[in-house]
Amino acid sequence: MSEPAPAQADPPKPQLHVAPSPHLASTATTGGMMLDVLIGLLPVTVMAAYYFGLHALIQVGICVGSCMIFELMFNAMRGKPASILDGSAAVAGAILGLSMPWNAPWYAGVVGSLVAMGIGKIIFGGLGQNIFNPAMVGRTFVMISFSVSIGSAAYVVHDAPMEVVTQASPLSVAKEAAGAADLPGLWALFIGNVNGSLGETCSLACIIGGLWMVLRRSAAWRTPAGSVLGLAVISLIAQLIDPQSLTMLQHLVGGAFLFGAFFIATDPVTSPVTPRGQWIFGIGYGVLVFLIRQYSAYPEGVAFAILLMNALTPLINRWTIPTPVGGPAPALVKK
Amino acid sequence: MTTLTDAPHGSGTFPRGIHPPHRKKPAEACTIEVLPTPAQVTIPLLQHTGAPNEPLIVKPRTDVTVGQKIGASDAFISAPVHASINGQTARATAITLPNGRHVNAIPIKAGEEQPSAEELYDDHFGGDWPTDYSDREPKEIIEAIKEAGLVGLGGAAFPTYVKLSPPPGKTIDTLLLNGAECEPYLTADYRLMVEAQAAIVSGALAAARAMQVDNIVIAIEDNKPQAVDKMRQAVQGTAVQVIAVKTKYPQGGEKQLILATLKRIVPTGGLPLDVGVVVMNVGTAAAAARAVARGKPLTHRVITVTGAGVNHPKNVLAPVGATFTELVNFCGGLTEDAARLVAGGPMMGFTLGSLDTPVTKGASGLTVLTQQDLRKAEETACVRCGRCVDVCPLNLVPTKIALAARCQAWDLAKRYHMVACMECGCCAYECPASIPLVQLIRMAKAQAPRD
C-alpha cells in the first residue's frame, strides 16, 4: 500500500467577506465631530483666559477632568465599555466649565459634572440616549444648589484682580436698573470686555467657533440661524414697543445667548434631526431666552430655554417629518 | 408629441446626495477588450426583473450557435435568453445569483468554431449605425428588442420592451439616456460612450422611434468630459441632446436624473413613465441598436473588472454566462489583500460569495475591494447628528426608519416613509457612527407586514 500523495498546497486564497452594500463609507466619526466641537470651543476658551486669567483654565480643567472621570466611573458601574474616547464627556465638561463664573468654588464644578454625567447622560443610557443637554442639567443644578456662591450676585467682586468683574454682568444691570441705558457699549459686549460666565462674554469668539463647526458640518447651521432669527425678531418688536428695554443688538450680543445658540442648542443628541425641526428649535430657543430675560426673576435664560426646548425635541421631530421627494408614500395617502 | 421647445430645463443636479471618491482611474483608460471564449458558459434562465424563462432546449448535447434562443417565457414582464457561444448544451443546473436568487441555468460547452475577438468587437461596436429609423414600424422595433432579450444593462435588468410599451393612458414625451455612471469605480458605460457613440445614438433613435418620441436627452456626469465631447460630436445632425450633469451620487438614479435634467418629480411609488419619461442606460441603447439594426440578440455585455484587489483592471466584453473567475483571470487575478468581491459598484452592488458565478445581463462590473477600502469602525450610538437626513436624496429621515426597524416598530417606520426609500446607501455611507442604516431599512422593507 502506498501512502496517499500529500495534498498539494492550494495557492493562497484571499479571505472573502460577504456583506450588504454600501461597501464604501466616509471617514467621518462621532469622535471627529466631538473634536470639531472642542476646536470650536477653543477661541472661546482663549478669550475666557484673556479676560479672566488662569481662573478660566482652572474652571474648564476641573469640569472637563471630572466629567471624564465620572463618565468612566458610571460606565464601569454599568459594566459598559468605556466611551471616553468619543469625546462627548470632554465636550460636556468644556461647556459646563465655560458656563461657570470665574470664581465658582471647585466643588461647584465637580458636583455639576457629577450631575451632568450621571443624571444628565448615563442614567438615560449614555451617549445618544439623553433627553436633556448634560452640561445644562449640571449647570442648572449647581445654579439652584449654590445660588449664593455662583448666583448672579457672586459675579461681582470689587477687589478682584480683573477689572471686568468689578461690575455686574450686563444682563443683571439691565434687570436691576430695568433699563438698557446703563449697559456697557455694544463693542464691549461684542468682544467680551464685560462681566459674565467664562465662555459667554466674547460674542466674537462664539461666532468664530460656531462658524467653524457649521462649516465642518459638525453642527447644524439651521439651529443657530433660527436662534438668532427668533431672538432678533421678538426683541426688535419689544424694542419698538418700549424703547427703554434692551435693544435687539444688546439681546443678541449680551449674555450667553450666542454661546448657547452655537454650542449648546446644536448638541445633536438633544436637538431635532429634521431640517424644519432645527429651525423650530432655534426659533423657540431665541424666543424663550427673550421671555425669561424679560419676565422672569432671572437675568439670563439660556440654560432654562435650552432645557425647555430639549424637552420638546421628540415632539418637534414627530411634527416635522419631511415629505419625501415625490410626495408621501401612496399607502399613507389613502389613510 | 412634444417638441424640442420644452426640452431639458433641469438644473443639472438634485438636492442632497453624497460625494464618494470616484476611483474611476484604474479602468478608465482601458479600451474594451474581448474575453477569450471560455470553455463553458452557464446561462441563467432568469437574468431580469420579471418571470423566469422556460428552457427551450431540454435535451443535453444539443448543438447551439451564438444568438440562438434557449429560454423564453409567455409572461409579459420577461426577456428571453440566448446562447452566448457556439457549442453543445449540458444538463440543466441550478445556480445562485449574486442577489441571492436560486435559478435554473443551461450550461453550454464551447465548440471548436467561435467568432474571433475582432469579429465580436466589430459586430458590437464597429461599422456604420443607422440614424434614421423612419422606415421601421414602431411595433417592429419593439418586437426586435423583445426577441433580442434586451434588459436594462444599468443593473436593474428590467425588460426593455416593456419600458417601450407604455400602458394605455400614459403618454411618453422624453427618452432619457442614462450615462451618469455615478457608482464609484465603474467605467463600462464611460468606455462605451468613448468607443461606441454611434451605436448608442442609433439605439436611442430606434427606441425613440418605437415610442414616437422626439425629445431625446443623454445625461452624462461632468467628471467624464471626454465622453461628453465624444457624444456631442456623435449627436450632431440628430435630434439627440447631450447634457453634462453634476457629478454626485446617486445622479444615475432614475428619479434623480429626471429631476436634474428635466425638472420633473416622479411620484413616490411611481415610475418615470408617470411623468412622461422613459430612462434607458447608454449600454442598453447600444444593445438596442444592435438588436434593431443588425438583428442580433443580447449575448455579450461590457463589464468593468476593477478595484485595488485586481491586478490589471479592464473593461471586458464578456459573453453572458462566463464566470467571474474567467474575468478575474483575464485581468491578472486577485491580489493577496483582496477582501470583498462586489457584483456592480460599491454603493449598491451585491457581494459574491464565490467567483464561480455567471455574468448576467445586468452585471455592470466586478469591483474587488481590499481590506484597506473597507470600513473598519465599530458601530456606535446614534447621536442624531442628522447627516443622514442631510444627504438623503429622497428627503427621508434614515436614522429614524433604521432605529424603528431595529425595534420592529413598523408603524413608526412607515410614518417616516420607509417605503419611499430606494436604498441608494447615502445614509450608511455618511453615518459617523457607522450604523448600517440602509441595511436596516432594506430589512424593514422586506419584513414589515404589507397593508
Side-chain angles (χ1 to χ4, degrees):
Chain A
M1 249 178 80
S2 63
E3 288 282 308
Q8 209 149 27
D10 281 331
K13 265 202 174 165
Q15 282 244 313
L16 298 175
H17 306 254
V18 179
S21 65
H23 308 287
L24 292 183
S26 69
T27 50
T29 61
T30 309
M33 291 175 69
M34 296 295 170
L35 189 63
D36 280 340
V37 178
L38 288 176
I39 294 172
L41 284 167
L42 212 57
V44 180
T45 314
V46 167
M47 289 313 285
Y50 175 75
Y51 288 119
F52 300 98
L54 210 52
H55 299 281
L57 301 181
I58 291 171
Q59 288 295 344
V60 174
I62 288 175
C63 291
V64 170
S66 31
C67 272
M68 291 171 76
I69 289 169
F70 286 128
E71 163 124 340
L72 267 180
M73 203 179 84
F74 287 126
N75 274 331
M77 281 165 64
R78 295 169 69 223
K80 298 270 177 185
S83 51
I84 196 97
L85 285 179
D86 64 30
S88 59
V91 167
I95 289 174
L96 180 61
L98 288 167
S99 69
M100 290 286 193
W102 68 278
N103 55 345
W106 64 269
Y107 52 84
V110 175
V111 171
S113 302
L114 178 77
V115 173
M117 287 296 108
I119 295 172
K121 184 173 164 190
I122 301 292
I123 213 169
F124 288 101
L127 181 66
Q129 310 300 320
N130 48 302
I131 298 171
F132 298 102
N133 180 287
M136 286 303 99
V137 172
R139 180 67 178 87
T140 316
F141 185 86
V142 292
M143 178 168 84
I144 295 166
S145 310
F146 310 111
S147 59
V148 176
S149 53
I150 63 169
S152 60
Y155 281 75
V156 190
V157 182
H158 291 295
D159 53 356
M162 294 86 67
E163 204 194 328
V164 283
V165 300
T166 56
Q167 288 171 6
S169 64
L171 293 173
S172 298
V173 172
K175 192 104 235 173
E176 277 147 31
D182 304 327
L183 251 61
L186 276 177
W187 179 247
L189 289 172
F190 185 65
I191 61 163
N193 198 9
V194 293
N195 199 355
S197 299
L198 294 169
E200 71 177 35
T201 64
C202 183
S203 303
L204 179 64
C206 291
I207 292 171
I208 293 172
L211 286 180
W212 157 261
M213 298 195 319
V214 165
L215 289 176
R216 294 278 300 164
R217 293 199 301 148
S218 292
W221 63 271
R222 297 177 192 90
T223 312
S227 307
V228 170
L229 184 74
L231 181 60
V233 168
I234 194 163
S235 58
L236 183 65
I237 294 171
Q239 183 187 349
L240 293 177
I241 293 173
D242 175 15
Q244 292 299 304
S245 68
L246 285 173
T247 65
M248 180 184 84
L249 287 174
Q250 284 170 332
H251 263 296
L252 286 176
V253 297
F257 168 74
L258 283 177
F259 182 70
F262 279 113
F263 298 104
I264 314 175
T266 54
D267 170 18
V269 175
T270 56
S271 64
V273 74
T274 63
R276 265 195 310 150
Q278 288 162 356
W279 279 111
I280 293 174
F281 186 97
I283 292 171
Y285 162 70
V287 170
L288 281 175
V289 165
F290 172 83
L291 292 177
I292 296 171
R293 281 179 181 177
Q294 196 81 356
Y295 298 111
S296 79
Y298 290 99
E300 176 60 297
V302 166
F304 289 126
I306 295 273
L307 291 174
L308 284 169
M309 291 314 292
N310 288 164
L312 284 179
T313 293
L315 203 56
I316 296 175
N317 271 334
R318 288 206 177 189
W319 283 341
T320 57
I321 299 175
T323 310
V325 175
L332 286 171
V333 178
K334 276 179 214 144
K335 277 176 198 166
Chain B
M1 287 290 133
T2 330
T3 54
L4 274 179
T5 46
D6 71 345
H9 52 275
S11 62
T13 185
F14 60 94
R16 297 171 291 276
I18 55 169
H19 297 276
H22 299 169
R23 309 248 171 102
K24 302 276 190 188
K25 281 276 173 294
E28 194 173 47
C30 306
T31 319
I32 298 171
E33 290 181 47
V34 182
L35 184 75
T37 308
Q40 179 184 317
V41 294
T42 310
I43 313 277
L45 286 169
L46 175 67
Q47 304 187 29
H48 51 263
T49 308
N53 290 302
E54 292 303 321
L56 296 180
I57 294 164
V58 185
K59 227 176 75 181
R61 301 189 180 213
T62 310
D63 284 323
V64 290
T65 53
V66 177
Q68 185 178 338
K69 205 198 286 185
I70 57 170
S73 163
D74 294 333
F76 177 62
I77 301 183
S78 191
V81 293
H82 303 78
S84 58
I85 58 172
N86 295 328
Q88 269 191 342
T89 60
R91 191 184 303 279
T93 159
I95 53 138
T96 308
L97 293 179
N99 63 11
R101 277 194 81 157
H102 301 286
V103 300
N104 291 326
I106 301 178
I108 300 170
K109 289 201 160 62
E112 304 262 303
E113 289 279 304
Q114 299 293 348
S116 74
E118 291 75 31
E119 278 165 9
L120 278 171
Y121 188 94
D122 280 343
D123 185 34
H124 276 83
F125 312 121
D128 291 329
W129 296 93
T131 53
D132 181 17
Y133 287 92
S134 55
D135 57 331
R136 304 283 292 263
E137 282 299 311
K139 266 190 186 158
E140 189 195 328
I141 294 176
I142 291 176
E143 191 56 29
I145 286 174
K146 180 184 178 183
E147 277 306 299
L150 230 68
V151 301
L153 298 186
F158 190 79
T160 306
Y161 95 95
V162 180
K163 262 192 195 177
L164 300 183
S165 332
K170 300 280 181 192
T171 317
I172 305 297
D173 60 48
T174 305
L175 172 67
L176 178 57
L177 251 60
N178 188 347
E181 201 162 51
C182 62
E183 275 273 3
Y185 289 98
L186 302 188
T187 55
D189 289 347
Y190 168 74
R191 287 314 307 180
L192 270 180
M193 290 188 282
V194 172
E195 293 181 44
Q197 319 84 19
I200 294 170
V201 174
S202 177
L205 292 165
R209 167 74 185 152
M211 295 184 292
Q212 290 165 299
V213 165
D214 302 321
N215 202 4
I216 310 166
V217 179
I218 302 182
I220 305 167
E221 274 192 348
D222 57 13
N223 65 342
K224 308 173 192 51
Q226 215 194 337
V228 175
D229 285 351
K230 292 241 180 185
M231 289 308 301
R232 285 218 165 114
Q233 285 164 21
V235 298
Q236 271 173 16
T238 70
V240 185
Q241 287 172 283
V242 176
I243 307 182
V245 290
K246 193 174 172 196
T247 304
K248 181 160 85 167
Y249 180 85
Q251 184 63 267
E254 327 188 283
K255 293 182 177 184
Q256 283 64 47
L257 199 62
I258 292 171
L259 182 58
T261 53
L262 306 167
K263 210 176 179 176
R264 297 182 197 175
I265 294 173
V266 180
T268 300
L271 292 169
L273 61 83
D274 291 324
V275 292
V277 185
V278 162
V279 184
M280 194 187 238
N281 178 269
V282 288
T284 316
R290 194 162 166 265
V292 178
R294 299 186 176 172
K296 295 283 176 65
L298 179 63
T299 53
H300 291 66
R301 70 152 300 147
V302 181
I303 174 166
T304 308
V305 182
T306 182
V310 170
N311 282 322
H312 305 296
K314 282 176 185 174
N315 299 291
V316 186
L317 181 70
V320 168
T323 63
F324 286 106
T325 310
E326 276 135 1
L327 283 174
V328 166
N329 290 343
F330 184 59
C331 297
L334 298 180
T335 61
E336 265 181 36
D337 57 347
R340 196 175 287 178
L341 306 163
V342 183
M347 291 304 297
M348 286 188 82
F350 295 97
T351 36
L352 296 172
S354 148
L355 273 175
D356 291 322
T357 309
V359 171
T360 58
K361 296 172 182 177
S364 49
L366 174 68
T367 309
V368 185
L369 302 172
T370 62
Q371 214 43 265
Q372 245 181 341
D373 300 324
L374 300 174
R375 168 178 251 174
K376 289 170 212 81
E378 291 276 318
E379 181 184 338
T380 55
C382 173
V383 294
R384 279 169 264 164
C385 63
R387 286 199 184 187
C388 54
V389 183
D390 291 341
V391 298
C392 178
L394 293 175
N395 204 21
L396 306 176
V397 187
T399 175
K400 291 283 182 188
I401 307 175
L403 300 185
R406 219 167 230 174
C407 309
Q408 310 210 327
W410 309 129
D411 279 344
L412 188 62
K414 280 176 190 168
R415 207 170 332 142
Y416 278 95
H417 306 287
M418 167 186 76
V419 290
C421 174
M422 59 172 181
E423 304 172 19
C424 64
C426 288
C427 49
Y429 175 87
E430 197 68 18
C431 181
S434 301
I435 301 172
L437 292 166
V438 73
Q439 295 90 327
L440 286 165
I441 297 173
R442 217 179 266 144
M443 197 184 72
K445 283 170 74 178
Q447 288 184 354
R450 316 217 171 259
D451 12 40

